[in-house]
Short mmCIF file of all heavy atoms in Angstrom, two decimals:
data_model
loop_
_atom_site.label_atom_id
_atom_site.label_comp_id
_atom_site.label_asym_id
_atom_site.label_seq_id
_atom_site.Cartn_x
_atom_site.Cartn_y
_atom_site.Cartn_z
N MET A 1 -5.31 -5.10 -22.68
CA MET A 1 -4.67 -5.80 -21.59
C MET A 1 -3.60 -4.91 -21.00
O MET A 1 -2.91 -4.20 -21.70
CB MET A 1 -4.07 -7.09 -22.12
CG MET A 1 -3.51 -7.93 -21.05
SD MET A 1 -4.19 -9.55 -21.23
CE MET A 1 -3.15 -10.40 -20.14
N THR A 2 -3.47 -4.96 -19.69
CA THR A 2 -2.52 -4.10 -19.00
C THR A 2 -1.60 -4.93 -18.12
O THR A 2 -1.91 -6.05 -17.77
CB THR A 2 -3.27 -3.05 -18.17
OG1 THR A 2 -2.32 -2.22 -17.53
CG2 THR A 2 -4.16 -3.68 -17.13
N ASP A 3 -0.46 -4.34 -17.77
CA ASP A 3 0.49 -5.06 -16.93
C ASP A 3 0.38 -4.64 -15.47
O ASP A 3 1.20 -5.02 -14.65
CB ASP A 3 1.92 -4.84 -17.43
CG ASP A 3 2.31 -3.37 -17.46
OD1 ASP A 3 1.43 -2.51 -17.31
OD2 ASP A 3 3.49 -3.10 -17.62
N LYS A 4 -0.67 -3.88 -15.11
CA LYS A 4 -0.88 -3.48 -13.73
C LYS A 4 -1.35 -4.67 -12.91
O LYS A 4 -2.22 -5.41 -13.34
CB LYS A 4 -1.93 -2.37 -13.63
CG LYS A 4 -1.46 -1.06 -14.19
CD LYS A 4 -2.33 0.13 -13.95
CE LYS A 4 -3.74 -0.03 -13.63
NZ LYS A 4 -4.48 1.22 -13.53
N PRO A 5 -0.79 -4.87 -11.71
CA PRO A 5 -1.28 -5.95 -10.86
C PRO A 5 -2.70 -5.66 -10.39
O PRO A 5 -3.09 -4.52 -10.20
CB PRO A 5 -0.32 -5.97 -9.69
CG PRO A 5 0.58 -4.82 -9.84
CD PRO A 5 0.32 -4.16 -11.14
N GLU A 6 -3.47 -6.71 -10.21
CA GLU A 6 -4.85 -6.56 -9.75
C GLU A 6 -4.87 -6.63 -8.22
O GLU A 6 -4.45 -7.62 -7.63
CB GLU A 6 -5.71 -7.68 -10.33
CG GLU A 6 -5.88 -7.60 -11.82
CD GLU A 6 -6.65 -6.36 -12.25
OE1 GLU A 6 -7.59 -5.96 -11.54
OE2 GLU A 6 -6.31 -5.81 -13.31
N TYR A 7 -5.34 -5.57 -7.60
CA TYR A 7 -5.52 -5.53 -6.15
C TYR A 7 -6.97 -5.24 -5.85
O TYR A 7 -7.65 -4.56 -6.60
CB TYR A 7 -4.67 -4.43 -5.51
CG TYR A 7 -3.19 -4.64 -5.61
CD1 TYR A 7 -2.40 -3.81 -6.41
CD2 TYR A 7 -2.56 -5.64 -4.89
CE1 TYR A 7 -1.04 -3.99 -6.49
CE2 TYR A 7 -1.20 -5.84 -4.97
CZ TYR A 7 -0.44 -5.00 -5.77
OH TYR A 7 0.91 -5.18 -5.84
N ARG A 8 -7.45 -5.74 -4.72
CA ARG A 8 -8.79 -5.42 -4.25
C ARG A 8 -8.67 -4.45 -3.08
O ARG A 8 -7.70 -4.52 -2.32
CB ARG A 8 -9.50 -6.69 -3.78
CG ARG A 8 -9.89 -7.61 -4.94
CD ARG A 8 -10.46 -8.88 -4.42
NE ARG A 8 -9.34 -9.58 -3.74
CZ ARG A 8 -9.48 -10.47 -2.80
NH1 ARG A 8 -10.65 -10.82 -2.39
NH2 ARG A 8 -8.43 -11.04 -2.24
N LYS A 9 -9.64 -3.57 -2.92
CA LYS A 9 -9.60 -2.60 -1.83
C LYS A 9 -9.60 -3.32 -0.50
O LYS A 9 -10.39 -4.24 -0.27
CB LYS A 9 -10.79 -1.66 -1.92
CG LYS A 9 -10.73 -0.57 -0.89
CD LYS A 9 -11.79 0.46 -1.08
CE LYS A 9 -11.65 1.51 0.01
NZ LYS A 9 -12.40 2.68 -0.24
N GLY A 10 -8.69 -2.95 0.38
CA GLY A 10 -8.58 -3.57 1.70
C GLY A 10 -7.67 -4.77 1.75
O GLY A 10 -7.47 -5.35 2.82
N GLU A 11 -7.10 -5.16 0.62
CA GLU A 11 -6.22 -6.32 0.58
C GLU A 11 -4.90 -5.99 1.29
O GLU A 11 -4.31 -4.94 1.05
CB GLU A 11 -5.94 -6.69 -0.87
CG GLU A 11 -5.08 -7.90 -1.05
CD GLU A 11 -4.89 -8.26 -2.51
OE1 GLU A 11 -5.37 -7.53 -3.39
OE2 GLU A 11 -4.25 -9.27 -2.76
N PRO A 12 -4.41 -6.87 2.20
CA PRO A 12 -3.15 -6.59 2.88
C PRO A 12 -1.97 -6.65 1.91
O PRO A 12 -1.84 -7.57 1.11
CB PRO A 12 -3.05 -7.69 3.93
CG PRO A 12 -4.01 -8.74 3.52
CD PRO A 12 -5.03 -8.10 2.64
N VAL A 13 -1.13 -5.64 1.99
CA VAL A 13 0.05 -5.54 1.15
C VAL A 13 1.23 -5.11 2.00
O VAL A 13 1.07 -4.71 3.16
CB VAL A 13 -0.15 -4.53 -0.01
CG1 VAL A 13 -1.21 -5.00 -0.98
CG2 VAL A 13 -0.48 -3.16 0.52
N ARG A 14 2.42 -5.18 1.43
CA ARG A 14 3.61 -4.68 2.11
C ARG A 14 4.55 -4.07 1.09
O ARG A 14 4.49 -4.37 -0.09
CB ARG A 14 4.30 -5.76 2.92
CG ARG A 14 4.87 -6.88 2.11
CD ARG A 14 5.54 -7.92 3.02
NE ARG A 14 6.00 -9.04 2.24
CZ ARG A 14 7.19 -9.08 1.64
NH1 ARG A 14 8.02 -8.10 1.73
NH2 ARG A 14 7.53 -10.15 0.93
N HIS A 15 5.42 -3.18 1.57
CA HIS A 15 6.42 -2.54 0.73
C HIS A 15 7.68 -3.39 0.81
O HIS A 15 7.97 -3.98 1.85
CB HIS A 15 6.69 -1.12 1.25
CG HIS A 15 7.42 -0.26 0.30
ND1 HIS A 15 8.79 -0.31 0.16
CD2 HIS A 15 6.99 0.69 -0.57
CE1 HIS A 15 9.17 0.57 -0.74
NE2 HIS A 15 8.10 1.20 -1.20
N LYS A 16 8.44 -3.47 -0.27
CA LYS A 16 9.62 -4.32 -0.30
C LYS A 16 10.71 -3.85 0.66
O LYS A 16 11.41 -4.67 1.25
CB LYS A 16 10.18 -4.40 -1.71
CG LYS A 16 9.33 -5.23 -2.64
CD LYS A 16 9.97 -5.33 -4.00
CE LYS A 16 9.16 -6.18 -4.94
NZ LYS A 16 9.76 -6.25 -6.27
N THR A 17 10.89 -2.53 0.82
CA THR A 17 11.99 -2.03 1.64
C THR A 17 11.54 -1.24 2.87
O THR A 17 12.25 -1.19 3.85
CB THR A 17 12.93 -1.13 0.81
OG1 THR A 17 12.17 -0.06 0.26
CG2 THR A 17 13.58 -1.93 -0.30
N ARG A 18 10.37 -0.62 2.83
CA ARG A 18 9.90 0.18 3.97
C ARG A 18 9.03 -0.67 4.88
O ARG A 18 8.37 -1.60 4.45
CB ARG A 18 9.07 1.37 3.49
CG ARG A 18 9.88 2.34 2.73
CD ARG A 18 9.05 3.52 2.36
NE ARG A 18 9.83 4.42 1.52
CZ ARG A 18 9.45 5.62 1.19
NH1 ARG A 18 8.30 6.07 1.60
NH2 ARG A 18 10.21 6.38 0.45
N ASN A 19 9.04 -0.29 6.16
CA ASN A 19 8.24 -1.03 7.14
C ASN A 19 6.94 -0.28 7.37
O ASN A 19 6.86 0.62 8.20
CB ASN A 19 9.03 -1.16 8.44
CG ASN A 19 8.42 -2.15 9.38
OD1 ASN A 19 7.43 -2.81 9.03
ND2 ASN A 19 8.97 -2.27 10.56
N LEU A 20 5.90 -0.63 6.63
CA LEU A 20 4.58 -0.02 6.76
C LEU A 20 3.73 -0.89 7.66
O LEU A 20 3.59 -2.09 7.43
CB LEU A 20 3.91 0.14 5.40
CG LEU A 20 4.65 0.95 4.35
CD1 LEU A 20 3.89 0.92 3.04
CD2 LEU A 20 4.86 2.37 4.82
N ARG A 21 3.14 -0.31 8.69
CA ARG A 21 2.32 -1.07 9.65
C ARG A 21 0.87 -1.10 9.20
O ARG A 21 0.31 -0.09 8.82
CB ARG A 21 2.41 -0.43 11.03
CG ARG A 21 3.80 -0.33 11.57
CD ARG A 21 4.35 -1.70 11.82
NE ARG A 21 5.70 -1.58 12.37
CZ ARG A 21 6.33 -2.56 12.93
NH1 ARG A 21 5.78 -3.75 13.00
NH2 ARG A 21 7.54 -2.40 13.39
N GLU A 22 0.26 -2.27 9.27
CA GLU A 22 -1.15 -2.48 8.94
C GLU A 22 -1.49 -1.91 7.56
O GLU A 22 -2.49 -1.22 7.38
CB GLU A 22 -2.05 -1.85 10.01
CG GLU A 22 -1.80 -2.39 11.39
CD GLU A 22 -2.58 -1.65 12.47
OE1 GLU A 22 -3.55 -0.97 12.13
OE2 GLU A 22 -2.20 -1.75 13.63
N ALA A 23 -0.66 -2.19 6.60
CA ALA A 23 -0.82 -1.63 5.25
C ALA A 23 -1.89 -2.37 4.46
O ALA A 23 -1.92 -3.60 4.43
CB ALA A 23 0.51 -1.69 4.50
N ARG A 24 -2.76 -1.61 3.82
CA ARG A 24 -3.85 -2.14 2.99
C ARG A 24 -3.91 -1.35 1.69
O ARG A 24 -3.67 -0.15 1.67
CB ARG A 24 -5.20 -2.01 3.69
CG ARG A 24 -5.26 -2.61 5.06
CD ARG A 24 -5.81 -3.96 4.98
NE ARG A 24 -5.83 -4.57 6.32
CZ ARG A 24 -5.95 -5.84 6.51
NH1 ARG A 24 -6.07 -6.65 5.49
NH2 ARG A 24 -5.96 -6.34 7.71
N PHE A 25 -4.25 -2.06 0.62
CA PHE A 25 -4.43 -1.38 -0.67
C PHE A 25 -5.67 -0.50 -0.59
O PHE A 25 -6.72 -0.93 -0.14
CB PHE A 25 -4.58 -2.41 -1.79
CG PHE A 25 -4.92 -1.79 -3.11
CD1 PHE A 25 -3.95 -1.19 -3.87
CD2 PHE A 25 -6.22 -1.79 -3.58
CE1 PHE A 25 -4.25 -0.60 -5.09
CE2 PHE A 25 -6.54 -1.21 -4.79
CZ PHE A 25 -5.55 -0.62 -5.55
N GLU A 26 -5.53 0.74 -1.06
CA GLU A 26 -6.66 1.67 -1.05
C GLU A 26 -7.17 1.92 -2.46
O GLU A 26 -8.34 1.68 -2.74
CB GLU A 26 -6.24 2.99 -0.39
CG GLU A 26 -7.35 4.00 -0.25
CD GLU A 26 -8.43 3.56 0.72
OE1 GLU A 26 -8.16 2.76 1.62
OE2 GLU A 26 -9.58 4.01 0.54
N LYS A 27 -6.32 2.42 -3.36
CA LYS A 27 -6.74 2.72 -4.72
C LYS A 27 -5.53 3.04 -5.59
O LYS A 27 -4.44 3.23 -5.09
CB LYS A 27 -7.71 3.91 -4.74
CG LYS A 27 -7.09 5.19 -4.22
CD LYS A 27 -8.11 6.30 -4.20
CE LYS A 27 -7.49 7.56 -3.60
NZ LYS A 27 -8.41 8.67 -3.57
N TRP A 28 -5.76 3.08 -6.88
CA TRP A 28 -4.76 3.54 -7.82
C TRP A 28 -4.83 5.07 -7.90
O TRP A 28 -5.89 5.65 -7.68
CB TRP A 28 -5.00 2.94 -9.20
CG TRP A 28 -4.59 1.51 -9.28
CD1 TRP A 28 -5.38 0.42 -9.05
CD2 TRP A 28 -3.31 0.99 -9.60
NE1 TRP A 28 -4.67 -0.72 -9.20
CE2 TRP A 28 -3.39 -0.41 -9.54
CE3 TRP A 28 -2.09 1.58 -9.93
CZ2 TRP A 28 -2.29 -1.23 -9.80
CZ3 TRP A 28 -1.01 0.76 -10.19
CH2 TRP A 28 -1.11 -0.63 -10.12
N SER A 29 -3.75 5.72 -8.24
CA SER A 29 -3.76 7.17 -8.41
C SER A 29 -4.57 7.54 -9.64
O SER A 29 -4.92 6.68 -10.45
CB SER A 29 -2.33 7.69 -8.55
OG SER A 29 -1.76 7.21 -9.74
N LYS A 30 -4.87 8.82 -9.79
CA LYS A 30 -5.66 9.27 -10.94
C LYS A 30 -4.94 8.98 -12.25
O LYS A 30 -5.57 8.65 -13.24
CB LYS A 30 -5.95 10.76 -10.83
CG LYS A 30 -6.95 11.10 -9.77
CD LYS A 30 -7.23 12.59 -9.75
CE LYS A 30 -8.22 12.94 -8.66
NZ LYS A 30 -8.50 14.37 -8.62
N SER A 31 -3.62 9.10 -12.25
CA SER A 31 -2.86 8.84 -13.47
C SER A 31 -2.72 7.34 -13.75
O SER A 31 -2.41 6.95 -14.86
CB SER A 31 -1.47 9.47 -13.37
OG SER A 31 -0.71 8.82 -12.37
N GLY A 32 -2.92 6.52 -12.72
CA GLY A 32 -2.80 5.07 -12.88
C GLY A 32 -1.38 4.58 -12.79
O GLY A 32 -1.11 3.41 -13.05
N LYS A 33 -0.45 5.44 -12.36
CA LYS A 33 0.96 5.05 -12.29
C LYS A 33 1.42 4.71 -10.87
O LYS A 33 2.48 4.12 -10.70
CB LYS A 33 1.84 6.17 -12.83
CG LYS A 33 1.61 6.43 -14.30
CD LYS A 33 2.50 7.53 -14.79
CE LYS A 33 2.24 7.81 -16.27
NZ LYS A 33 3.08 8.90 -16.77
N ARG A 34 0.64 5.08 -9.87
CA ARG A 34 1.01 4.85 -8.48
C ARG A 34 -0.09 4.08 -7.76
O ARG A 34 -1.26 4.14 -8.12
CB ARG A 34 1.24 6.17 -7.76
CG ARG A 34 2.35 7.00 -8.32
CD ARG A 34 3.63 6.56 -7.76
NE ARG A 34 4.74 7.37 -8.28
CZ ARG A 34 5.97 7.13 -7.96
NH1 ARG A 34 6.27 6.15 -7.16
NH2 ARG A 34 6.93 7.86 -8.47
N VAL A 35 0.32 3.39 -6.69
CA VAL A 35 -0.60 2.61 -5.88
C VAL A 35 -0.79 3.33 -4.55
O VAL A 35 0.19 3.69 -3.90
CB VAL A 35 -0.04 1.20 -5.62
CG1 VAL A 35 -0.94 0.41 -4.71
CG2 VAL A 35 0.16 0.46 -6.90
N GLY A 36 -2.05 3.55 -4.14
CA GLY A 36 -2.35 4.17 -2.85
C GLY A 36 -2.44 3.11 -1.77
O GLY A 36 -3.24 2.19 -1.86
N ILE A 37 -1.61 3.27 -0.74
CA ILE A 37 -1.57 2.33 0.37
C ILE A 37 -1.97 3.06 1.65
O ILE A 37 -1.36 4.06 2.01
CB ILE A 37 -0.16 1.73 0.54
CG1 ILE A 37 0.31 1.07 -0.75
CG2 ILE A 37 -0.12 0.76 1.71
CD1 ILE A 37 -0.53 -0.08 -1.21
N ASN A 38 -2.99 2.55 2.33
CA ASN A 38 -3.45 3.11 3.59
C ASN A 38 -2.72 2.37 4.70
O ASN A 38 -2.78 1.15 4.79
CB ASN A 38 -4.96 2.93 3.71
CG ASN A 38 -5.55 3.74 4.83
OD1 ASN A 38 -4.92 4.66 5.33
ND2 ASN A 38 -6.76 3.40 5.22
N HIS A 39 -1.98 3.11 5.56
CA HIS A 39 -1.20 2.46 6.60
C HIS A 39 -1.21 3.29 7.89
O HIS A 39 -1.49 4.48 7.88
CB HIS A 39 0.24 2.22 6.13
CG HIS A 39 0.99 3.49 5.84
ND1 HIS A 39 1.86 4.04 6.72
CD2 HIS A 39 0.99 4.30 4.76
CE1 HIS A 39 2.37 5.15 6.21
NE2 HIS A 39 1.86 5.33 5.01
N ASN A 40 -0.89 2.64 8.99
CA ASN A 40 -0.84 3.26 10.31
C ASN A 40 0.53 3.90 10.47
O ASN A 40 1.53 3.21 10.64
CB ASN A 40 -1.08 2.20 11.39
CG ASN A 40 -1.15 2.78 12.77
OD1 ASN A 40 -0.95 3.96 12.98
ND2 ASN A 40 -1.44 1.92 13.74
N PHE A 41 0.59 5.24 10.47
CA PHE A 41 1.88 5.92 10.51
C PHE A 41 2.31 6.33 11.92
O PHE A 41 3.42 6.83 12.09
CB PHE A 41 1.89 7.13 9.56
CG PHE A 41 1.04 8.28 10.02
CD1 PHE A 41 1.61 9.36 10.66
CD2 PHE A 41 -0.32 8.27 9.80
CE1 PHE A 41 0.83 10.42 11.07
CE2 PHE A 41 -1.11 9.33 10.19
CZ PHE A 41 -0.52 10.41 10.85
N VAL A 42 1.49 6.14 12.94
CA VAL A 42 1.88 6.48 14.31
C VAL A 42 2.08 5.24 15.18
O VAL A 42 2.20 5.35 16.39
CB VAL A 42 0.85 7.43 14.97
CG1 VAL A 42 0.83 8.76 14.30
CG2 VAL A 42 -0.52 6.82 15.00
N TRP A 43 2.16 4.08 14.58
CA TRP A 43 2.40 2.86 15.34
C TRP A 43 3.73 2.99 16.05
O TRP A 43 4.67 3.49 15.47
CB TRP A 43 2.41 1.66 14.39
CG TRP A 43 2.54 0.37 15.09
CD1 TRP A 43 1.53 -0.40 15.54
CD2 TRP A 43 3.74 -0.32 15.42
NE1 TRP A 43 2.01 -1.53 16.13
CE2 TRP A 43 3.39 -1.49 16.07
CE3 TRP A 43 5.08 -0.05 15.25
CZ2 TRP A 43 4.32 -2.40 16.55
CZ3 TRP A 43 6.01 -0.95 15.72
CH2 TRP A 43 5.62 -2.10 16.36
N PRO A 44 3.94 2.61 17.25
CA PRO A 44 3.14 1.87 18.24
C PRO A 44 2.41 2.77 19.22
O PRO A 44 1.93 2.30 20.23
CB PRO A 44 4.18 1.05 18.96
CG PRO A 44 5.37 1.95 19.02
CD PRO A 44 5.33 2.70 17.70
N TYR A 45 2.31 4.07 18.93
CA TYR A 45 1.73 5.01 19.89
C TYR A 45 0.23 5.19 19.76
O TYR A 45 -0.36 5.86 20.58
CB TYR A 45 2.43 6.36 19.75
CG TYR A 45 3.92 6.23 19.90
CD1 TYR A 45 4.76 6.37 18.81
CD2 TYR A 45 4.47 5.94 21.14
CE1 TYR A 45 6.12 6.23 18.96
CE2 TYR A 45 5.84 5.79 21.28
CZ TYR A 45 6.66 5.94 20.19
OH TYR A 45 8.00 5.78 20.33
N GLY A 46 -0.37 4.65 18.77
CA GLY A 46 -1.80 4.79 18.57
C GLY A 46 -2.20 4.37 17.18
O GLY A 46 -1.48 3.62 16.52
N ALA A 47 -3.32 4.88 16.75
CA ALA A 47 -3.83 4.54 15.42
C ALA A 47 -4.07 5.82 14.65
O ALA A 47 -4.97 6.59 14.97
CB ALA A 47 -5.10 3.73 15.51
N GLY A 48 -3.25 6.06 13.65
CA GLY A 48 -3.40 7.21 12.77
C GLY A 48 -3.11 6.73 11.36
O GLY A 48 -1.99 6.33 11.06
N TYR A 49 -4.11 6.74 10.52
CA TYR A 49 -3.96 6.18 9.19
C TYR A 49 -3.87 7.29 8.15
O TYR A 49 -4.52 8.32 8.27
CB TYR A 49 -5.15 5.27 8.85
CG TYR A 49 -5.16 4.02 9.69
CD1 TYR A 49 -5.83 3.97 10.89
CD2 TYR A 49 -4.48 2.89 9.28
CE1 TYR A 49 -5.84 2.84 11.66
CE2 TYR A 49 -4.48 1.74 10.04
CZ TYR A 49 -5.16 1.72 11.23
OH TYR A 49 -5.15 0.58 12.00
N LYS A 50 -3.05 7.05 7.13
CA LYS A 50 -2.98 7.96 5.99
C LYS A 50 -2.68 7.14 4.75
O LYS A 50 -2.19 6.01 4.83
CB LYS A 50 -1.95 9.06 6.20
CG LYS A 50 -0.52 8.61 6.13
CD LYS A 50 0.40 9.82 6.26
CE LYS A 50 1.83 9.45 6.01
NZ LYS A 50 2.70 10.61 6.05
N THR A 51 -2.97 7.72 3.61
CA THR A 51 -2.74 7.05 2.33
C THR A 51 -1.54 7.69 1.65
O THR A 51 -1.51 8.89 1.44
CB THR A 51 -3.97 7.16 1.43
OG1 THR A 51 -5.08 6.58 2.10
CG2 THR A 51 -3.74 6.43 0.11
N ASP A 52 -0.54 6.86 1.37
CA ASP A 52 0.64 7.29 0.62
C ASP A 52 0.66 6.55 -0.70
O ASP A 52 0.14 5.43 -0.80
CB ASP A 52 1.93 6.99 1.39
CG ASP A 52 2.13 7.91 2.57
OD1 ASP A 52 1.78 9.10 2.47
OD2 ASP A 52 2.65 7.44 3.59
N TYR A 53 1.28 7.15 -1.70
CA TYR A 53 1.33 6.55 -3.03
C TYR A 53 2.75 6.09 -3.33
O TYR A 53 3.71 6.82 -3.11
CB TYR A 53 0.86 7.56 -4.08
CG TYR A 53 -0.62 7.83 -3.95
CD1 TYR A 53 -1.11 8.80 -3.11
CD2 TYR A 53 -1.54 7.05 -4.64
CE1 TYR A 53 -2.47 9.03 -2.97
CE2 TYR A 53 -2.90 7.26 -4.51
CZ TYR A 53 -3.35 8.25 -3.67
OH TYR A 53 -4.69 8.45 -3.54
N PHE A 54 2.85 4.85 -3.82
CA PHE A 54 4.14 4.23 -4.10
C PHE A 54 4.15 3.66 -5.51
O PHE A 54 3.11 3.44 -6.11
CB PHE A 54 4.41 3.09 -3.11
CG PHE A 54 4.45 3.52 -1.67
CD1 PHE A 54 3.37 3.31 -0.84
CD2 PHE A 54 5.58 4.12 -1.15
CE1 PHE A 54 3.40 3.71 0.47
CE2 PHE A 54 5.63 4.52 0.17
CZ PHE A 54 4.53 4.32 0.98
N ASP A 55 5.35 3.39 -5.99
CA ASP A 55 5.54 2.73 -7.27
C ASP A 55 5.03 1.29 -7.14
O ASP A 55 5.39 0.60 -6.19
CB ASP A 55 7.01 2.75 -7.63
CG ASP A 55 7.29 2.34 -9.06
OD1 ASP A 55 6.34 1.97 -9.77
OD2 ASP A 55 8.46 2.39 -9.46
N PRO A 56 4.19 0.83 -8.05
CA PRO A 56 3.61 -0.52 -7.89
C PRO A 56 4.63 -1.65 -7.92
O PRO A 56 4.35 -2.73 -7.39
CB PRO A 56 2.63 -0.64 -9.06
CG PRO A 56 2.89 0.48 -9.96
CD PRO A 56 3.66 1.52 -9.21
N LYS A 57 5.82 -1.44 -8.47
CA LYS A 57 6.81 -2.52 -8.47
C LYS A 57 7.41 -2.76 -7.09
O LYS A 57 8.02 -3.78 -6.85
CB LYS A 57 7.91 -2.25 -9.50
CG LYS A 57 8.78 -1.08 -9.18
CD LYS A 57 9.80 -0.86 -10.28
CE LYS A 57 10.60 0.40 -9.99
NZ LYS A 57 11.51 0.71 -11.06
N ASN A 58 7.21 -1.82 -6.13
CA ASN A 58 7.70 -1.98 -4.78
C ASN A 58 6.66 -2.55 -3.82
O ASN A 58 6.95 -2.77 -2.66
CB ASN A 58 8.19 -0.63 -4.22
CG ASN A 58 9.41 -0.15 -4.94
OD1 ASN A 58 10.24 -0.93 -5.38
ND2 ASN A 58 9.53 1.15 -5.10
N ILE A 59 5.45 -2.79 -4.29
CA ILE A 59 4.36 -3.29 -3.46
C ILE A 59 4.09 -4.75 -3.80
O ILE A 59 3.97 -5.10 -4.97
CB ILE A 59 3.09 -2.44 -3.67
CG1 ILE A 59 3.36 -0.97 -3.35
CG2 ILE A 59 1.95 -2.98 -2.82
CD1 ILE A 59 3.77 -0.70 -1.92
N VAL A 60 3.99 -5.58 -2.78
CA VAL A 60 3.68 -7.00 -2.96
C VAL A 60 2.55 -7.39 -2.01
O VAL A 60 2.33 -6.73 -1.00
CB VAL A 60 4.91 -7.90 -2.72
CG1 VAL A 60 5.98 -7.67 -3.77
CG2 VAL A 60 5.47 -7.70 -1.34
N ARG A 61 1.84 -8.44 -2.34
CA ARG A 61 0.78 -8.93 -1.48
C ARG A 61 1.38 -9.51 -0.21
O ARG A 61 2.45 -10.10 -0.21
CB ARG A 61 -0.02 -10.01 -2.19
CG ARG A 61 -0.92 -9.46 -3.26
CD ARG A 61 -1.72 -10.55 -3.93
NE ARG A 61 -2.68 -10.00 -4.85
CZ ARG A 61 -2.38 -9.61 -6.09
NH1 ARG A 61 -1.17 -9.73 -6.52
NH2 ARG A 61 -3.31 -9.11 -6.86
N ASP A 62 0.65 -9.36 0.88
CA ASP A 62 1.09 -9.88 2.16
C ASP A 62 0.15 -10.96 2.61
O ASP A 62 -1.07 -10.80 2.55
CB ASP A 62 1.13 -8.75 3.21
CG ASP A 62 1.82 -9.16 4.48
OD1 ASP A 62 2.58 -10.14 4.46
OD2 ASP A 62 1.60 -8.47 5.49
N SER A 63 0.69 -12.06 3.06
CA SER A 63 -0.17 -13.15 3.56
C SER A 63 -0.17 -13.07 5.08
O SER A 63 0.85 -13.22 5.73
CB SER A 63 0.36 -14.50 3.09
OG SER A 63 1.66 -14.68 3.55
N ILE A 64 -1.34 -12.82 5.62
CA ILE A 64 -1.47 -12.71 7.08
C ILE A 64 -1.80 -14.06 7.66
O ILE A 64 -2.53 -14.81 7.16
CB ILE A 64 -2.56 -11.67 7.45
CG1 ILE A 64 -2.09 -10.30 7.02
CG2 ILE A 64 -2.84 -11.70 8.91
CD1 ILE A 64 -3.08 -9.22 7.30
#
């Protein structure tokens, strides 16, 4: 049993302190210690997505 939160790929999430636009769960890192979040980093000027890795305690589910 593990204490990692269960996320599904494409599930909407948000960061507790940073303003990530259109953020979705992508994957766990190879080490399993970080969460990969795919987000739009050029908002409001267009659509450019990249995956950044964050500490899982700073990521929460977002209800759209």
Side-chain angles (χ1 to χ4, degrees):
M1 186 128 168
T2 181
D3 58 348
K4 290 189 339 185
E6 293 295 324
Y7 294 112
R8 289 175 292 156
K9 185 172 180 167
E11 182 177 4
V13 294
R14 65 180 176 86
H15 195 279
K16 287 183 179 179
T17 58
R18 294 183 185 191
N19 193 4
L20 302 177
R21 302 294 181 166
E22 302 173 19
R24 305 264 178 198
F25 174 78
E26 183 66 26
K27 62 182 177 179
W28 284 92
S29 66
K30 288 182 181 180
S31 67
K33 295 180 181 179
R34 298 276 181 182
V35 177
I37 304 298
N38 193 17
H39 63 99
N40 184 356
F41 71 99
V42 293
W43 184 90
Y45 305 108
Y49 292 91
K50 72 176 188 177
T51 301
D52 287 324
Y53 291 88
F54 300 101
D55 191 356
K57 67 182 175 185
N58 293 327
I59 302 298
V60 294
R61 286 181 174 82
D62 191 19
S63 59
I64 294 178

